[in-house]
Structure formats: C-alpha cells, structure tokens
C-alpha cells in the first residue's frame, strides 16, 4: 500500500450509502412502538453512522415504486421516540403516518420537550437496535427504514441470522455527531436545563457502558457529580451506596475487581466521591452540575464521536507480510471500537479497555477498500505521522462498517476545510489526545518514510 502513504488528508473517497441498498429488497413489517422494557439496554451496540450526502445525490431509502404490502392502507402509525434520559414521546401519526420524515418527528420532540430553536444542531434522530445504529437525515422516513432493517443488519452487522430476525430498532434522540466539542462548550453557559440534561444523560450512558475511557480520578469526579444529581446532598450512610455501584462506574470496572492498573470499585469509593463533589460543587444548580460533568468528559478525544465495531490484526510474526494477508477467522485478531468525531479518530481495545491510537485529522490520511468476497472484509486504511522518527505508519481496520467510517471521516474533513478550522500548530496532537500515548507496539503497522518509501525490513 505504498500509494496510501502519498495520500494527503485533503483527498478522500465519498461513499454513497443509500445506493448500497438492493432495489429488490422486500421490506418486512416492523412496529416502532418497541420500548426499552422489551430488551436489555446493555446490549445496545456501538454506533453505526449514516453520512450526510449532497442534495444532488439524495435517493429515497428504497425506491418509491416498491411494493409496500399493506402499509399503504394504514391511516395511523404509532411510534415512540426515545431519549437518553429513558423517557419517550408516544406519537400517533395520522394519515400516511409511515411516510413521516425525520424533520417532522424532530419538531414534535422539540415542542414536547421545550427545546430551543437551535436544537437540531445539538441533537439528531437515530435508529438504534442491539445490532446497528444509524444517524438519520431530515428527509429520511424512519418507518420505511425499519422495514429494511434485516437488510441493513445482513450487510453491516457481524451477527447470526437468528439475532437479525429478533432485532428491532427504536427511534432515539442523541447528540449530533457533527457538533464539535468547541461549539458545544459555547452552549453550556446559556443552554436551557433540558438541553444540558440530555447531553449529561448521553455522556453518562457512554461512561457506564465503557465507551469513554477515563482516568480513575475523573471516574470518581463524575460519580460524585452524578450522586449529587441523583442522590442529593452527601449522606454518611455507607449502606446506601452498596447497591448502586454499577450505575455510577463503568461496567467493566465493576465486573473485574482486579483490572490492571485500576482502583477497585467499592461503596466506600463512591461515598468518598460523593462527599468530595458535595464539598466542591454542592451549591451548584442542576444545569451547572451537568456542565461540570460534560467538562470532564469533553477533555478526552473520543467525546461526541460515533462508535464502530472493527477488528485489527495482532502484531505477531513478520509485520510486513502480515499487513498484506487477508483477514480470516482463526487469524490472530483484536476486537476494537473505532471512535470518530469532528476532530479525529481513536481506536480502543475492547477486551483490555485501553486506547490504542488517537490521531487528529491534521496528521491523518486514509483510504477505503471494499472487500466482500470470501472471507475478506471491507477495510479502512489510516496513515498517520510519527514525529519521533520522522515517518508515517499505516494501519488496516477491518469492518463491515468501514464504508460508514470512511463517509464520516470524509464529511468531517470537508467541514473543517470549508470552515478553515485546521489547527496546524505543533501541539495539536497533544491537545487532541489529552495525554493519551499511542501504543504502536500493540498494532500491526506498515512503516513509510515521509516521501512514501517503505521502511519495513
């Protein structure tokens, strides 16, 4: 892949996601009244991203002359739109309700929850299930997308047919992945309590599910703030904290008491965190406490990003030969989560719960190769600078969701170009990474000089 080393970050490969749907895909009937009580919320997946597409490229989610079966005869469609605070808005959509667009549904949420006029820049509607998650565009029709859910799962989720058959999507309000950390911070002082509360609940969800990996001290700070919001003033009763640990600390820390380099999660630890938060911020309003919580989360490079399931090759044997081998089951693999936001990319080891790589767009170039024949998978190649030895590295990321990663990176880079917001300062990497060191020795990498020459032996 010597060619990848010469790709500038200003060049990329747009993926038209809607065109990937089969024109002959028969929709199956699904009911969007699904509630969280019907499923275990902990099984919700890493995010799957649906890119923005230029107006000239827009296509319906499936062709208009499709056979809708008995959908055309339905006058009323019942739907629940969920929010991360575990509340929902029940809607009865009268007359061709199955054709309701995202823009119409979002307006109903906006009116119901008294969200400000700029709410659409802060939040988006997503289709969420245990297997996939899509960000929806304004002209998408969630009911129609639900009819194609099996098709999406087959193409973009590495799941069994039984799991796909049982999978049911819901419509969820979540943070807009195109809202930058910088722009969000500008909102915190003036945003109404409802907006701050929704942002807080989504960040808390990502903390508890282990999507955001923080230091022990920051986990304690967040747990203390959460205790103030949910428990109120500090209490000295230790018993009141014992049953709540899994609601305040990441599940992987609660389950593994001896996780390498981590403090044990105990009731005493939560009590001390609550006491410290009460001493430091006990006189703050709910809105201010939410702001404190978000301030801690937003320091980290993965905040506000979309999450994708992927696989890496483990660096065993000859790296040069391994990088060019096809991925197959039985080959040494590492399951990872790839996080992409408006500023860069992070790669997280799922098993070790450790950040392996963080790269800002200013130091990144990439390519996407669609490999779907046999045991091969679509691949995202990312190339990044390593200043220590004045070279670049290329990492292969294997995933059915690679086309979505490519599309999201493409959109974010183009937005930065349009806004002329590239930060070319020397400390950009340190600012984005927030002290997180890349673990290159744990990655299977191809090495190049700055002129594009291979440097592997």
């Amino acid at each position: 892949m010597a060619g990848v080393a010469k790709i500038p970050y200003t060049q990329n490969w747009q993926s038209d996601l809607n065109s990937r749907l089969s024109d002959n895909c028969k929709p199956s009937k699904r009911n969007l009244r699904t509630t969280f009580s019907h499923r275990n919320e902990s099984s919700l997946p890493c995010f799957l991203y649906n890119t923005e597409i230029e107006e000239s490229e827009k296509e319906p989610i499936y062709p208009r002359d499709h056979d809708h079966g008995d959908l055309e005869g339905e006058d009323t469609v019942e739907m629940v739109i969920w929010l991360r605070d575990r509340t929902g808005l029940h809607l009865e959509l009268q007359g061709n309700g199955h054709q309701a667009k995202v823009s119409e549904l979002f307006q109903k949420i906006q009116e119901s929850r008294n969200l400000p006029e700029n709410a659409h820049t802060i939040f988006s509607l997503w289709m969420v299930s245990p297997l996939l998650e899509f960000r929806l565009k304004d002209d998408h029709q969630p009911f129609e997308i639900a009819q194609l859910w099996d098709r999406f799962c087959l193409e973009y989720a590495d799941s069994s047919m039984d799991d796909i058959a049982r999978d049911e999507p819901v419509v969820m309000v979540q943070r807009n992945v195109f809202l930058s950390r910088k722009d969000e911070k500008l909102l915190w002082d003036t945003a109404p309590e409802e907006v701050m509360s929704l942002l807080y609940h989504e960040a808390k969800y990502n903390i508890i599910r282990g999507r955001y990996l923080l230091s022990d001290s920051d986990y304690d700070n967040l747990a203390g703030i959460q205790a103030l919001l949910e428990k109120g003033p500090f209490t000295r009763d230790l018993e009141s904290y014992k049953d709540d640990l899994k609601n305040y600390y990441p599940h992987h820390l609660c389950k593994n008491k001896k996780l390498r380099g981590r403090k044990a999660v105990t009731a005493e630890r939560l009590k001390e965190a609550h006491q410290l938060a009460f001493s430091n911020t006990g006189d703050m309003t709910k809105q201010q406490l939410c702001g404190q919580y978000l301030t801690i989360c937003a320091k980290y490079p993965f905040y506000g990003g979309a999450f994708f399931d992927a696989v890496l090759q483990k660096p065993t044997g000859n790296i040069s030969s391994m990088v060019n081998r096809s991925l197959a089951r039985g080959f040494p693999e590492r399951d990872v989560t790839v996080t992409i936001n408006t500023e860069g990319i992070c790669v997280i080891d799922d098993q070790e719960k450790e950040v392996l790589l963080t790269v800002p767009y200013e130091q990144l170039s990439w390519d996407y190769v669609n490999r779907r024949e046999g045991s091969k998978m679509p691949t995202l190649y990312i190339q990044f600078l390593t200043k220590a030895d004045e070279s670049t590295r290329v990492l292969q990321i294997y995933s059915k969701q690679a086309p979505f990663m490519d599309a999201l990176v493409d959109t974010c880079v183009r937005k930065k170009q349009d806004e002329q917001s590239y930060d070319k300062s020397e400390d950009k990497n340190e600012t984005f990474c927030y002290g997180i060191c890349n673990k290159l020795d744990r990655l299977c990498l191809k090495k190049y000089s700055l002129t594009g020459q291979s440097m592997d032996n």
Side-chain angles (χ1 to χ4, degrees):
M1 290 299 299
V4 175
K6 299 180 180 179
I7 296 172
Y9 65 77
T10 55
Q11 182 178 354
N12 35 61
W13 297 263
Q14 176 79 14
S15 174
D16 185 348
L17 305 183
N18 285 344
S19 66
R20 296 182 181 280
L21 294 176
S22 168
D23 289 347
N24 298 317
C25 179
K26 179 72 173 180
S28 60
K29 188 169 183 180
R30 291 192 182 275
N31 187 349
L32 288 181
R33 295 184 63 187
T34 306
T35 69
F36 279 134
S37 62
H38 294 166
R39 65 183 75 250
N40 180 357
E41 189 184 8
S42 65
S43 64
L44 289 179
C46 296
F47 287 11
L48 185 61
Y49 171 75
N50 192 3
T51 184
E52 291 186 333
I53 299 177
E54 298 295 333
E55 292 293 330
S56 61
E57 299 174 321
K58 286 183 178 178
E59 296 179 5
I61 200 64
Y62 59 72
R64 296 299 181 187
D65 59 353
H66 228 307
D67 177 15
H68 289 141
D70 62 351
L71 295 182
E72 296 291 352
E74 294 186 1
D75 295 327
T76 302
V77 171
E78 294 186 353
M79 181 184 299
V80 178
I81 301 178
W82 290 97
L83 299 96
R84 278 296 175 201
D85 61 2
R86 298 184 66 82
T87 63
L89 175 63
H90 182 274
L91 302 176
E92 290 189 359
L93 306 175
Q94 304 290 334
N96 295 323
H98 61 278
Q99 295 180 358
K101 294 183 178 181
V102 165
S103 57
E104 302 168 27
L105 299 176
F106 191 87
Q107 184 176 359
K108 294 182 182 297
I109 280 285
Q110 199 168 354
E111 295 170 355
S112 173
R113 299 298 292 260
N114 295 318
L115 298 178
E117 291 185 3
N118 66 339
H120 66 282
T121 65
I122 307 172
F123 302 105
S124 301
L125 290 189
W126 299 65
M127 293 287 285
V128 179
S129 86
L131 300 184
L132 288 180
E133 188 161 332
F134 284 91
R135 176 187 179 273
L136 301 174
K137 298 187 299 179
D138 285 346
D139 63 340
H140 278 160
Q141 298 172 358
F143 193 89
E144 291 193 350
I145 295 177
Q147 311 315 307
L148 292 176
W149 202 249
D150 288 355
R151 177 67 181 181
F152 279 104
C153 290
L154 283 169
E155 185 144 356
Y156 298 111
D158 189 11
S159 305
S160 68
M161 293 300 296
D162 287 343
D163 287 341
I164 291 175
R166 290 190 297 265
D167 199 48
E168 290 286 352
V170 298
V171 181
M172 179 78 72
V173 178
Q174 296 184 158
R175 186 185 184 280
N176 187 348
V177 71
F178 293 120
L179 177 66
S180 68
R181 292 187 294 178
K182 177 181 178 181
D183 289 341
E184 181 182 331
K185 291 176 182 178
L186 295 176
L187 301 171
W188 290 345
D189 291 336
T190 58
E193 182 178 302
E194 183 68 20
V195 169
M196 297 299 291
S197 177
L198 291 176
L199 290 172
Y200 156 76
H201 279 286
E202 184 168 346
K204 182 182 72 172
Y205 173 86
N206 289 327
I207 291 291
I208 300 303
R209 303 303 173 189
R211 290 174 168 177
Y212 291 170
L213 302 180
L214 280 57
S215 67
D216 282 335
S217 60
D218 279 339
Y219 279 137
D220 289 336
N221 291 333
L222 295 183
I225 295 172
Q226 182 183 340
L228 284 178
L229 287 167
E230 299 179 6
K231 289 179 173 292
F234 171 69
T235 174
R236 297 184 181 278
D237 181 15
L238 185 62
E239 292 297 321
S240 64
Y241 296 95
K242 289 184 177 179
D243 296 332
D244 291 338
L245 295 178
K246 66 179 184 299
N247 298 323
Y248 287 83
Y249 287 92
H251 289 172
H252 66 276
L253 293 184
C254 295
K255 292 178 180 178
N256 192 342
K257 302 296 185 180
K258 298 181 180 180
L259 196 64
R260 183 178 58 188
R262 291 292 192 178
K263 289 170 57 178
V265 176
T266 63
E268 183 65 33
R269 179 179 175 182
L270 177 56
K271 177 184 174 181
E272 292 176 357
H274 191 185
Q275 182 177 14
L276 182 62
F278 181 70
S279 300
N280 295 336
T281 59
D283 58 345
M284 288 188 176
T285 65
K286 178 181 178 181
Q287 183 175 350
Q288 290 172 329
L289 288 173
C290 290
Q292 286 292 108
Y293 193 98
L294 295 172
T295 297
I296 295 172
C297 295
K299 296 185 299 184
Y300 289 84
F302 28 72
Y303 178 77
F307 298 81
F308 305 88
D309 291 326
V311 172
L312 302 182
Q313 294 180 352
K314 286 186 176 180
T316 58
N318 186 288
I319 294 180
S320 299
S321 62
M322 281 185 59
V323 138
N324 294 309
R325 291 181 61 178
S326 300
L327 178 67
R329 298 300 181 186
F331 190 88
E333 300 172 359
R334 173 179 284 120
D335 292 330
V336 297
T337 296
V338 179
T339 308
I340 300 175
N341 61 17
T342 59
E343 298 178 56
I345 293 179
C346 298
V347 179
I348 297 172
D349 188 317
D350 287 344
Q351 182 176 356
E352 298 295 330
K353 289 298 180 182
E354 186 176 32
V355 180
L356 300 176
L357 183 70
T358 59
V359 185
Y361 292 132
E362 287 81 353
Q363 299 178 16
L364 174 76
S365 60
W366 81 100
D367 196 358
Y368 162 62
V369 177
N370 187 11
R371 296 173 172 172
R372 290 182 180 269
E373 67 279 3
S375 61
K376 296 181 180 180
M377 296 177 68
T379 305
L380 185 73
Y381 293 84
I382 63 171
Q383 180 187 10
F384 54 94
L385 295 172
T386 52
K387 293 184 179 180
D389 57 2
E390 294 296 318
S391 65
T392 67
R393 303 291 199 279
V394 175
L395 174 67
Q396 291 177 267
I397 301 174
Y398 301 94
S399 175
K400 283 189 172 183
Q401 299 170 15
F404 295 93
M405 301 182 209
D406 170 54
L408 178 51
V409 173
D410 176 84
T411 304
C412 290
V413 167
R414 286 195 292 166
K415 283 181 176 291
K416 289 181 77 71
Q417 291 172 337
D418 293 341
E419 297 167 0
Q420 297 182 342
S421 59
Y422 273 107
D423 181 359
K424 298 181 180 180
S425 61
E426 289 295 322
D427 63 347
K428 170 60 183 179
N429 190 64
E430 288 73 16
T431 302
F432 175 71
C433 297
Y434 186 62
I436 298 175
C437 298
N438 290 333
K439 299 168 179 62
L440 303 186
D441 59 323
R442 297 187 58 193
L443 298 172
C444 183
L445 302 168
K446 188 76 173 177
K447 185 176 180 181
Y448 291 96
S449 68
L450 296 181
T451 60
Q453 301 299 314
S454 176
M455 297 176 66
D456 289 316
N457 296 328

